[in-house]
C-alpha cells in the first residue's frame, strides 16, 4: 500500500543515486537549495502611475550537504576522491536524492545535474565513545530538477 492523497513522507527513508544507480542510503540531507536572481524594474503605466515589476533572472548553482555512515559505499567514496582531486572529467555526475515511502518505493526525486563533491567533513572521534562515525559531504550542482 503506497501513500494515499494527503499523506506526508516520513523523514527516515532516502538515498543517493549516481548516474541512475543507488549507491548510498543517507543519514541526513540538509541545505538542498537552488535560487534564481530577481530582476526588478520600474515603468510608468498607461495612466501615468509608477509600476514596479519583477521577473526571473539568471539561475544560480546550488548545493546541499548529505551525511552518511563512515564505512559505506565505495562508489560514493570514489566520487568524493575524484572531485576533491580535481578530476572533473570523471567527477561531474548526475546525482539524485531520492525520497521513499515506508515501503522503500520512490516518491520524490531531486535530480542534481553536473554534480560534484566540494567538501568532506568527518564526525568527531573520542576514545571510549560508542557513537557511529559519519561523513558530511557537500555536493554542488549546476541545476536542480524536481520530479
Amino acid at each position: 500500500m503506497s501513500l494515499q492523497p494527503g499523506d506526508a513522507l516520513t523523514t527516515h527513508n532516502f538515498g543517493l543515486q549516481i548516474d541512475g544507480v543507488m549507491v548510498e542510503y543517507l543519514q541526513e540531507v540538509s541545505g538542498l537549495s537552488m535560487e534564481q536572481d530577481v530582476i526588478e524594474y520600474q515603468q510608468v503605466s498607461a495612466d501615468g502611475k509608477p509600476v514596479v515589476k519583477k521577473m526571473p533572472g539568471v539561475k544560480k548553482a546550488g548545493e546541499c550537504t548529505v551525511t552518511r555512515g563512515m564505512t559505506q559505499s565505495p562508489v560514493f567514496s570514489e566520487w568524493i576522491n575524484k572531485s576533491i582531486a580535481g578530476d572533473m572529467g570523471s567527477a561531474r555526475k548526475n546525482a539524485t536524492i531520492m525520497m521513499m515511502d515506508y515501503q522503500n518505493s520512490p516518491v520524490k526525486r531531486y535530480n542534481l545535474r553536473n554534480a560534484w563533491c566540494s567538501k568532506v567533513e568527518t564526525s568527531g572521534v573520542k576514545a571510549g565513545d560508542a557513537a557511529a562515525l559519519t561523513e558530511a559531504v557537500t555536493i554542488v550542482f549546476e541545476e536542480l530538477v524536481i520530479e
Side-chain angles (χ1 to χ4, degrees):
M1 181 174 180
S2 62
L3 293 176
Q4 299 298 312
D7 286 349
L9 286 173
T10 58
T11 61
H12 68 278
N13 233 1
F14 45 94
L16 178 72
Q17 290 182 332
I18 299 174
D19 288 337
V21 177
M22 180 65 85
V23 296
E24 191 76 74
Y25 286 90
L26 302 170
Q27 178 181 354
E28 182 179 345
V29 176
S30 62
L32 182 60
S33 66
M34 190 166 173
E35 68 179 281
Q36 171 172 356
D37 286 333
V38 176
I39 300 169
E40 185 175 296
Y41 66 97
Q42 298 179 11
Q43 64 186 35
V44 177
S45 66
D47 59 353
K49 295 183 179 179
V51 177
V52 176
K53 296 280 191 172
K54 293 187 179 192
M55 56 188 277
V58 176
K59 285 184 184 178
K60 297 179 182 179
E63 68 177 50
C64 67
T65 300
V66 299
T67 303
R68 70 179 188 143
M70 183 72 80
T71 60
Q72 296 296 314
S73 169
V75 173
F76 191 26
S77 295
E78 181 182 336
W79 185 42
I80 293 167
N81 289 333
K82 286 181 179 179
S83 295
I84 300 299
D87 181 5
M88 298 317 289
S90 298
R92 266 197 182 93
K93 303 275 187 190
N94 291 325
T96 300
I97 295 174
M98 191 168 52
M99 307 299 179
M100 293 168 273
D101 64 14
Y102 58 91
Q103 293 180 323
N104 284 341
S105 299
V107 176
K108 191 160 195 149
R109 297 173 192 269
Y110 295 87
N111 299 311
L112 317 175
R113 304 282 187 236
N114 292 323
W116 53 279
C117 305
S118 67
K119 179 181 176 182
V120 179
E121 183 176 356
T122 62
S123 61
V125 294
K126 181 179 177 184
D129 200 1
L133 294 175
T134 60
E135 287 180 324
V137 180
T138 300
I139 300 173
V140 297
F141 51 91
E142 294 174 6
E143 181 183 16
L144 173 64
V145 177
I146 302 171
E147 294 179 14

